[in-house]
Amino acid sequence: MTSHRETQFSEGGRSKSVMNGAGTSQGQWGRAWKVDWFSLVGVIFLLLFAPFIVYYFIMSCDQYNCSLTKPAIDLLMGKAHLLDIWNKTPQLTRKAATLYTSWVIFQAFLFMLPDFCHKFLPYYRGGVQEGAVTPAGIVLKYEINGLQAWLITHALWFANIYFFHWFSPTIIFDNWIPLLWCANILGYLVSVFALIKAYFFPSNAKDCKSTGNFFYDFMMGVEFNPRLGKWFDFKLFFNGRPGIVAWTLINLSYAAKQQELYGRVTNSMILVNVLQAIYVLDFFWNEAWYLKTIDICHDHFGWYLGWGDCVWLPYLYTLQGLYLVYHPVQLATGNAVGILLLGLVGYYIFRMANHQKDLFRRTDGNCKIWGKKPKYIECFYMSADGTKHHSKLLTSGFWGVARHFNYTGDLMGSLAYCLCCGFQDILPYFYIIYMTILLVHRCIRDEHRCAGKYGKDWKRYTDTVPYRLFPGVF
């Protein structure tokens, strides 16, 4: 559902922050104002089948040893019935409900704390930060404290393992399916609440957008930035917590289960933990920058983000670790080193590409990229009020290689996660398949927006940087 990649609005092949909403027409901001039949069919399909997809993946591991084809074949051949599979599925338990409720409340508590990390960590931007101007002309402030929440949570996790022994480190894996029902309940509750809130007591009525179609509005959201009180922002909380904070804990629980079952933790499990922890920490280190991304500056808060962050993200983004519990893989040293390098190089490209664009934007081109003064294309565009604006499209560094080369680095890292699992089953490769579809679609969507905005200047840009993701290919 959500990518949770720090992907800002693409302008001229770069990740561009949405710095203002003033003068933006109704048709240019947020999600659609009108729903065509194709979009409506897609929305209904996701509402019906996305929860089933998550259940199918998790059930396949629990009952079919992580085979995606065996359950379908058994059902088609009459060897199994849906009711049989359902009856073998662990149900909601009081322990799981208590555990999940405590987790969400704890993360909400940490979310409301003032940030202290920015006071002693050089270069880290935490504390009160301003977001982009909303279409209604409001500049929202956020308490950026995700890194602090992650550090406190994990400090308590390791303190429990080595000192307190309140619970087993395998607790997440041991309650994984009962926790799935809890996550679904929260995902649907917050989505329904967000819809009701948008109609009856929105945080700002001018930042609401309704198509009049219930299914589309429920899924994509009506209110732009729903809040309770001054600080509890639904979009930032559910996008960044509790799902992403839990990501690394889930992987650690998988590693603990592997140790319990087999007496050791394989190098492939260690690689998954390390590479995905780098991504999670990167997300929180750059949380202030995340305020200028598509998730915050474009998407409304509905089922797509609410349910997606509660269920889709923690359950499908962690499939590699889950698979390795059922199929421990000990990689040859050369393969392990190669996968590690692929993941690290992918991360380097992803981070440095975004850094180059951010540096170019902050200095208005008065900087050096790869030791040289950056090249760019001068361009102009008109806002809805008829004002002419000037912009620059970077064509140096990684942005001269491809128009979305940060996505390329992203995909390299995603592939590295999957390769840790070997080639016996397709299940752990869902992530790279999903991310490829998601990011290619995002490329096309962003460029359609830029083409309409820049016109002939966009054509000049695409002639200069002809490839989107992979030079010579696409």
Side-chain angles (χ1 to χ4, degrees):
M1 306 300 291
T2 88
S3 73
H4 280 90
R5 298 297 187 176
E6 297 165 13
T7 46
Q8 293 175 301
F9 270 119
S10 180
E11 178 173 302
R14 71 179 177 91
S15 295
K16 178 185 183 292
S17 298
V18 178
M19 298 305 294
N20 63 358
T24 306
S25 70
Q26 286 186 341
Q28 290 176 316
W29 68 270
R31 56 160 180 76
W33 283 92
K34 295 181 180 180
V35 185
D36 56 46
W37 281 104
F38 180 79
S39 297
L40 182 58
V41 169
V43 163
I44 293 175
F45 176 85
L46 287 174
L47 287 171
L48 289 175
F49 290 102
F52 173 75
I53 290 170
V54 176
Y55 170 73
Y56 187 87
F57 272 82
I58 303 306
M59 175 276 299
S60 296
C61 284
D62 183 57
Q63 299 185 30
Y64 286 87
N65 206 28
C66 293
S67 171
L68 284 181
T69 57
K70 287 181 180 178
I73 292 172
D74 281 359
L75 287 169
L76 289 173
M77 299 296 291
K79 295 180 179 179
H81 300 283
L82 286 175
L83 190 60
D84 297 331
I85 293 175
W86 178 254
N87 287 335
K88 294 178 183 177
T89 303
Q91 300 301 302
L92 177 64
T93 63
R94 179 175 295 182
K95 179 179 180 180
T98 303
L99 180 63
Y100 192 79
T101 302
S102 301
W103 167 254
V104 175
I105 292 174
F106 180 58
Q107 289 306 312
F109 169 74
L110 294 179
F111 185 72
M112 299 304 294
L113 292 178
D115 180 73
F116 295 99
C117 286
H118 71 282
K119 295 182 178 181
F120 58 85
L121 288 178
Y123 309 111
Y124 171 66
R125 289 179 59 204
V128 178
Q129 300 288 335
E130 290 187 348
V133 181
T134 74
I138 297 171
V139 179
L140 293 174
K141 292 186 177 180
Y142 299 81
E143 181 71 46
I144 297 300
N145 59 8
L147 181 63
Q148 175 177 279
W150 187 92
L151 290 171
I152 292 173
T153 300
H154 285 71
L156 290 174
W157 175 270
F158 285 107
N160 168 72
I161 292 175
Y162 292 106
F163 301 106
F164 302 125
H165 309 294
W166 292 324
F167 54 83
S168 168
T170 66
I171 190 170
I172 299 175
F173 177 88
D174 294 339
N175 294 275
W176 197 221
I177 295 180
L179 287 171
L180 173 61
W181 311 133
C182 300
N184 270 282
I185 291 170
L186 178 62
Y188 278 96
L189 284 178
V190 74
S191 302
V192 171
F193 177 78
L195 188 66
I196 295 172
K197 180 181 182 302
Y199 283 117
F200 294 103
F201 50 101
S203 300
N204 190 294
K206 293 182 180 179
D207 275 338
C208 292
K209 210 178 200 184
S210 175
T211 63
N213 184 287
F214 171 80
F215 296 105
Y216 191 89
D217 288 348
F218 175 69
M219 178 171 177
M220 300 308 295
V222 172
E223 192 171 1
F224 199 56
N225 294 104
R227 288 190 167 196
L228 290 180
K230 183 179 178 181
W231 292 109
F232 193 86
D233 186 275
F234 278 64
K235 201 153 48 169
L236 185 61
F237 177 74
F238 283 98
N239 271 335
R241 273 73 59 75
I244 296 186
V245 174
W247 190 338
T248 38
L249 291 185
I250 294 166
N251 282 339
L252 288 170
S253 186
Y254 291 156
K257 193 64 180 182
Q258 200 181 66
Q259 173 69 39
E260 178 186 284
L261 291 174
Y262 310 108
R264 63 167 183 163
V265 178
T266 62
N267 58 4
S268 57
M269 180 68 85
I270 293 171
L271 274 175
V272 167
N273 272 260
V274 169
L275 291 175
Q276 293 188 349
I278 290 172
Y279 167 68
V280 170
L281 282 171
D282 178 270
F283 174 86
F284 287 122
W285 183 269
N286 295 284
E287 191 177 18
W289 186 68
Y290 182 67
L291 298 180
K292 307 295 170 57
T293 63
I294 286 177
D295 289 345
I296 301 296
C297 298
H298 178 76
D299 291 337
H300 294 241
F301 187 82
W303 182 86
Y304 180 81
L305 290 180
W307 181 87
D309 291 326
C310 289
V311 180
W312 188 270
L313 187 155
Y315 276 84
L316 294 190
Y317 286 20
T318 60
L319 283 175
Q320 291 78 35
L322 180 63
Y323 177 85
L324 290 172
V325 173
Y326 292 93
H327 296 274
V329 174
Q330 182 67 24
L331 297 165
T333 302
N335 293 339
V337 171
I339 292 170
L340 177 63
L341 288 176
L342 176 65
L344 293 178
V345 170
Y347 170 73
Y348 175 80
I349 293 172
F350 167 74
R351 176 47 50 210
M352 289 307 299
N354 285 322
H355 171 71
Q356 288 175 358
K357 189 56 63 174
D358 184 58
L359 177 65
F360 178 76
R361 183 184 67 247
R362 285 189 290 105
T363 63
D364 194 30
N366 296 314
C367 60
K368 288 188 176 181
I369 293 178
W370 288 355
K372 299 178 181 180
K373 187 176 180 179
K375 297 179 182 179
Y376 55 85
I377 290 177
E378 300 269 1
C379 61
F380 300 90
Y381 64 95
M382 301 288 287
S383 58
D385 61 1
T387 304
K388 190 175 184 179
H389 299 271
H390 171 261
S391 187
K392 298 175 180 178
L393 308 181
L394 180 62
T395 61
S396 288
F398 287 118
W399 302 97
V401 179
R403 301 196 293 269
H404 304 271
F405 210 59
N406 56 335
Y407 293 176
T408 307
D410 227 346
L411 292 173
M412 291 170 64
S414 301
L415 178 61
Y417 306 160
C418 302
L419 289 174
C420 292
C421 300
F423 300 100
Q424 183 175 343
D425 293 290
I426 190 64
L427 182 141
Y429 286 85
F430 166 81
Y431 190 71
I432 182 62
I433 296 169
Y434 168 72
M435 288 302 298
T436 300
I437 295 171
L438 184 78
L439 293 182
V440 168
H441 176 261
R442 182 163 283 188
C443 285
I444 296 170
R445 185 180 64 171
D446 290 352
E447 294 196 5
H448 175 74
R449 195 178 284 121
C450 290
K453 180 177 181 179
Y454 294 114
K456 293 181 180 179
D457 289 332
W458 179 254
K459 179 63 167 58
R460 289 171 51 215
Y461 173 76
T462 56
D463 288 342
T464 304
V465 187
Y467 295 101
R468 287 188 173 108
L469 284 172
F470 301 102
V473 180
F474 174 74

